Amino acid sequence: MAYFSSGYLLTKLGETLHAKVEAGATLTLTKMQLGSGKTVSMADYYNRNSLLEPKNDVEIVTIAPDITGDKSICKLTGSLMNESVEEGYEARELGIFAKDTSGGEILYAVSYDEEPTYIPGKNAGSEIELNFDVYIAISSDTKVTIKQLTLPESMRDAMNQAAKSAAEAAAEARRAKDALAAMQTLSSAEVQEILEECGFTGGGTASGT
């Protein structure tokens, strides 16, 4: 889990949308986005509608309204699979994008981390899922929604098959681990007997515990 916990800045466009949300409009969040840009001041983002060096879009998978003290907050959780990351990089920027009331997409808010999270590339050697939590302040009666992504059927089938294959591989690995653990508890005589049953009847003897 990666946290951009240093706070966030509403952009100029984000402030305008926030005022409309406070007046009753729905806040529709479209995505998060990671970037590797560097800055010395969060103020650099105020007039922007993009990150300094955008890298990967991150799907917002859950939103969870909560109350901390006398403040209403909304916890956003985004998910990114490293198979979509061409090359590894250090993520310093995290942008939150939203749908404007005019229908366009805007950079709503930005979080910046001076101690960046390393995002491994697809050639890192294993498939990795990275989750990102961001907390934004809202009014207690603010309605927050997520723009749902619609995947092509072929992609959905491929993802389901990949998940099934991963589950089968994990189950096979557990069975192999259990079998190895069981073998390690056998005596030399028991190991020798198993080898003979499998047709290994050479003159040598097996060493064991």
Side-chain angles (χ1 to χ4, degrees):
M1 183 75 72
Y3 296 89
F4 281 75
S5 56
S6 58
Y8 65 92
L9 169 79
L10 286 178
T11 65
K12 184 176 182 179
L13 292 173
E15 285 184 343
T16 300
L17 176 58
H18 185 73
K20 296 176 182 177
V21 169
E22 291 288 307
T26 297
L27 176 59
T28 301
L29 302 173
T30 56
K31 67 184 179 185
M32 296 181 190
Q33 187 179 73
L34 297 177
S36 59
K38 296 181 181 180
T39 184
V40 295
S41 173
M42 287 287 286
D44 290 342
Y45 291 103
Y46 182 69
N47 289 305
R48 294 185 62 87
N49 198 31
S50 65
L51 297 181
L52 296 172
E53 292 186 29
K55 289 292 188 179
N56 288 98
D57 289 350
V58 178
E59 180 184 2
I60 301 174
V61 292
T62 62
I63 55 174
D66 199 354
I67 296 178
T68 301
D70 58 350
K71 296 182 179 180
S72 296
I73 62 173
C74 187
K75 176 184 176 182
L76 314 178
T77 298
S79 177
L80 172 68
M81 300 299 296
N82 74 318
E83 63 183 13
S84 62
V85 180
E86 290 298 324
E87 295 184 1
Y89 60 92
E90 292 186 332
R92 295 178 178 84
E93 311 169 276
L94 189 147
I96 303 171
F97 288 78
K99 182 185 291 186
D100 195 4
T101 52
S102 63
E105 186 178 62
I106 65 166
L107 178 59
Y108 177 72
V110 179
S111 184
Y112 187 83
D113 197 341
E114 294 182 352
E115 297 181 359
T117 297
Y118 181 73
I119 308 299
K122 62 182 181 182
N123 297 319
S126 59
E127 186 176 281
I128 303 172
E129 180 180 9
L130 300 106
N131 293 323
F132 300 85
D133 284 349
V134 180
Y135 298 83
I136 62 173
I138 58 173
S139 298
S140 59
D141 57 351
T142 297
K143 182 179 180 181
V144 184
T145 63
I146 309 173
K147 180 181 179 182
Q148 298 295 328
L149 297 180
T150 302
L151 298 177
E153 195 64 31
S154 58
M155 185 180 294
R156 190 182 302 275
D157 291 343
M159 292 177 66
N160 290 338
Q161 183 60 45
K164 181 179 178 181
S165 298
E168 292 173 348
E172 185 64 30
R174 286 194 296 270
R175 287 192 291 269
K177 183 178 180 181
D178 292 343
L180 178 60
M183 287 289 290
Q184 291 173 338
T185 65
L186 298 176
S187 65
S188 297
E190 289 172 323
V191 173
Q192 186 66 33
E193 182 179 350
I194 292 174
L195 291 174
E196 291 175 354
E197 289 177 354
C198 293
F200 297 95
T201 54
T205 57
S207 61
T209 55

